[in-house]
Amino acid sequence: MTCKDFSGMIPAFMQDTLDNNSLRIFLEHLDGCKGCREELEIQYLVSKVFDQQDAGQEVNLSKELPALIEKERKLLKGRTRLAIIAGAFESVAIVTFIATVILYLM
């Protein structure tokens, strides 16, 4: 992933609309690129200032952004587990179907 790609994905990250693969790639790039981490911090801060300015709330970047990143990491881990479980159930269904067909044809 390029830094330009990363920057373009920041709004989707903040809106929690990245698919599993995109989120994984986004987080991997975030871990290895200081410039992109700073860009994420800037965009996050700007969005929070505008969102919370009307509500009169303070923005705590040092707590909120790491919490969001950790939440997304956990979400990705959970989605990955669900995909594995779904794949296992699909495999069982296919084997059951094949076994049923074989028994029916005997």
Side-chain angles (χ1 to χ4, degrees):
M1 165 180 286
T2 66
C3 294
K4 184 177 180 178
D5 294 335
F6 180 91
S7 183
M9 294 171 73
I10 290 175
F13 172 76
M14 291 191 300
Q15 295 169 0
D16 192 24
T17 58
L18 292 176
D19 62 58
N20 289 352
N21 191 49
S22 297
L23 179 57
R24 181 185 52 77
I25 293 168
F26 183 90
L27 291 172
E28 286 173 358
H29 186 85
L30 177 66
D31 290 340
C33 185
K34 183 179 179 185
C36 285
R37 179 171 283 280
E38 290 172 358
E39 178 65 23
L40 175 61
E41 290 173 356
I42 291 167
Q43 288 193 37
Y44 183 81
L45 181 60
V46 168
S47 74
K48 285 298 180 182
V49 166
F50 285 115
D51 290 347
Q52 294 179 355
Q53 187 176 23
D54 295 330
Q57 299 174 349
E58 284 187 31
V59 176
N60 188 338
L61 181 63
S62 65
K63 289 183 181 178
E64 292 179 20
L65 183 55
L68 173 64
I69 293 168
E70 185 58 30
K71 178 187 131 245
E72 292 298 317
R73 287 187 198 284
K74 288 179 180 177
L75 180 65
L76 178 60
K77 193 174 187 178
R79 287 179 185 171
T80 301
R81 282 187 194 142
L82 285 176
I84 291 169
I85 291 168
F89 278 118
E90 185 177 341
S91 297
V92 168
I94 291 169
V95 169
T96 302
F97 174 76
I98 292 170
T100 303
V101 169
I102 290 171
L103 290 173
Y104 181 74
L105 293 175
M106 292 177 123

